[in-house]
Amino acid sequence: MENGYNIFWTDHALHELADTFEYLEREFTHKELKKLSLEIDQVVNLISKNPNLFPISESLEVRKVVIKKFNTMYYRVNPTQIEIISFFSNRQNPDKRKK
């Protein structure tokens, strides 16, 4: 696609993202929140233009990208859009991650 794929955040991914930001608001500075926001924007921009840039996860249909070593975003490439399915905080027990 010339302008890149459309990005769609699932409700699950948005919920995880909100939980992550709530935690960061309690434990870190506004500067750290801003850094994470910028990193997310950069990654989303990259995958919208080149969805195969990041490696395939355990599932053949899902790709993953580590953001600032503490978060992993999982996404699926569809014919017309990129579907962000999870924004997992790596501080959690890995068994909590939905596959």
Side-chain angles (χ1 to χ4, degrees):
M1 298 188 122
E2 190 172 310
N3 293 326
Y5 285 79
N6 291 322
I7 302 294
F8 173 77
W9 287 75
T10 64
D11 289 340
H12 176 73
L14 288 173
H15 178 74
E16 289 180 322
L17 181 63
D19 286 349
T20 298
F21 271 87
E22 286 175 19
Y23 170 78
L24 291 175
E25 285 174 338
R26 287 190 312 270
E27 304 294 329
F28 292 90
T29 66
H30 179 71
K31 183 177 177 180
E32 293 299 319
L33 285 167
K34 180 110 173 133
K35 279 182 170 181
L36 179 59
S37 294
L38 290 173
E39 185 75 17
I40 293 169
D41 286 344
Q42 289 173 345
V43 167
V44 167
N45 187 41
L46 284 172
I47 64 173
S48 76
K49 293 181 177 146
N50 187 357
N52 299 320
L53 183 62
F54 295 100
I56 294 175
S57 182
E58 298 87 25
S59 167
L60 293 177
E61 298 177 9
V62 176
R63 294 185 174 271
K64 71 176 183 176
V65 55
V66 177
I67 300 176
K68 295 284 187 201
K69 86 177 176 181
F70 293 113
N71 299 289
T72 302
M73 187 169 68
Y74 294 89
Y75 65 95
R76 182 177 14 247
V77 181
N78 294 320
T80 60
Q81 69 183 9
I82 304 293
E83 181 182 22
I84 299 175
I85 56 177
S86 180
F87 189 85
F88 187 76
S89 174
N90 297 331
R91 295 173 186 90
Q92 300 178 66
N93 180 340
D95 294 335
K96 291 176 84 176
R97 183 179 59 199
K98 287 190 177 183
K99 294 183 181 176

